[in-house]
Amino acid sequence: MKNFMDLAEKRYSCRKFSNKPVPQELVDQMIAAAAVAPTAVNTQPFKLWVMASDEAKETIRQVTDYSFGANNFIVVGARKEGAWTRSFDHHCFAEIDAAIVATHMMLQIYDLGLATTWVGYFNAAELKKRYPQMKDYELIALFPFGYAAEDAVPAPAHTKRKTSEELAEIL
Ligand SMILES: Cc1cc2nc3c(=O)[nH]c(=O)nc-3n(C[C@H](O)[C@H](O)[C@H](O)COP(=O)(O)O)c2cc1C
C-alpha cells in the first residue's frame, strides 16, 4: 500500500490536459470514492453531475474560463435540505460534507493516474438555469479532469506553503 503522503504530494492543480480518452471505469471509480466519503450524521447531502454529453461539456465551457482544455467534467453540489444542522448555532454542514466528498474524488483522480483542478470560479447561477435539477444545490466545485498534458506543470503557487508553525498552534 502506498503512503498517503505520496499521493497528497503528487497532487497539484493541473491546468493543461491531453486529449487521451478517459475510460468509463475510471469515472466509475471516482464516483465510488465520493460515495465512501464521511458526511455529518451520514446524511450524504450531495450530488455529482457527470457532464458527459457534447452539449453538457459545451455548457461548462460557457460558464467558466477555467476548463483548461479538458474533455471531462464533474460538478459537485451540496443540498442544505436533509443535511445535518448543529443545534447550538444552527450551522448547516451541507457544504462541508460536499467539500469532503469533492476532496475524496480529487485524490482518487490522482491515484488513478489522472489529473484535475478544483475550480470554484464558474457561473453557478447560469449552470443552474440550464440544468434545473441543480436548482436546490450549492454548486461548490467543478472538476475538469483527464490525463495531464505531457508538458503540464504545477503553478508556482503550488510550492508556496505556510510553515507547520504558522498553520498549527500547540496549546
Ligand atoms: C475551493 C477551491 C477553489 C479553487 N478554484 C480555482 C479556480 O477557480 N481556478 C483555478 O485555476 N484554480 C482554483 N483552485 C486551485 C487553487 O488555486 C490551488 O489549489 C492552489 O493555488 C494551490 O495549488 P495546488 O493545488 O497546485 O497545490 C481552487 C482550489 C480550491 C480548493
Side-chain angles (χ1 to χ4, degrees):
M1 190 172 152
K2 271 187 283 182
N3 185 319
F4 174 74
M5 226 22 216
D6 292 340
L7 177 62
E9 285 179 345
K10 187 167 120 187
R11 187 216 58 84
Y12 71 96
S13 291
C14 176
R15 298 184 173 92
K16 197 171 181 191
F17 295 90
S18 85
N19 52 17
K20 183 177 165 188
V22 174
Q24 181 59 40
E25 67 182 67
L26 299 193
V27 179
D28 294 344
Q29 285 185 56
M30 289 163 50
I31 296 168
V36 296
T39 57
V41 198
N42 202 22
T43 49
Q44 303 165 56
F46 70 92
K47 189 94 176 184
L48 309 173
W49 291 279
V50 182
M51 308 302 280
S53 67
D54 288 344
E55 186 192 334
K57 291 175 191 184
E58 188 48 36
T59 300
I60 291 296
R61 294 184 185 110
Q62 286 168 8
V63 298
T64 186
D65 292 334
Y66 294 144
S67 54
F68 304 126
N71 199 35
N72 307 275
F73 303 98
I74 286 190
V75 174
V76 184
R79 186 174 184 157
K80 287 201 175 117
E81 193 191 330
W84 182 64
T85 297
R86 187 166 55 194
S87 58
F88 299 102
D89 57 2
H90 308 293
H91 186 88
C92 175
F93 276 63
E95 292 190 35
I96 293 167
D97 289 337
I100 296 167
V101 166
T103 305
H104 259 225
M105 209 169 57
M106 180 171 67
L107 289 169
Q108 173 69 98
I109 287 171
Y110 279 85
D111 203 40
L112 291 168
L114 301 168
T116 190
T117 286
W118 183 319
V119 170
Y121 190 84
F122 62 94
N123 189 337
E126 188 58 34
L127 192 55
K128 285 187 195 188
K129 255 191 236 163
R130 309 231 194 143
Y131 291 96
Q133 55 269 66
M134 299 179 181
K135 182 171 67 70
D136 297 328
Y137 292 80
E138 293 300 324
L139 304 183
I140 62 135
L142 160 67
F143 290 106
F145 67 94
Y147 291 94
E150 269 183 26
D151 58 348
V153 287
H158 175 67
T159 49
K160 285 192 190 133
R161 300 286 163 178
K162 293 181 182 174
T163 64
S164 301
E165 289 71 28
E166 285 175 291
L167 292 169
E169 183 180 1
I170 315 293
L171 298 177

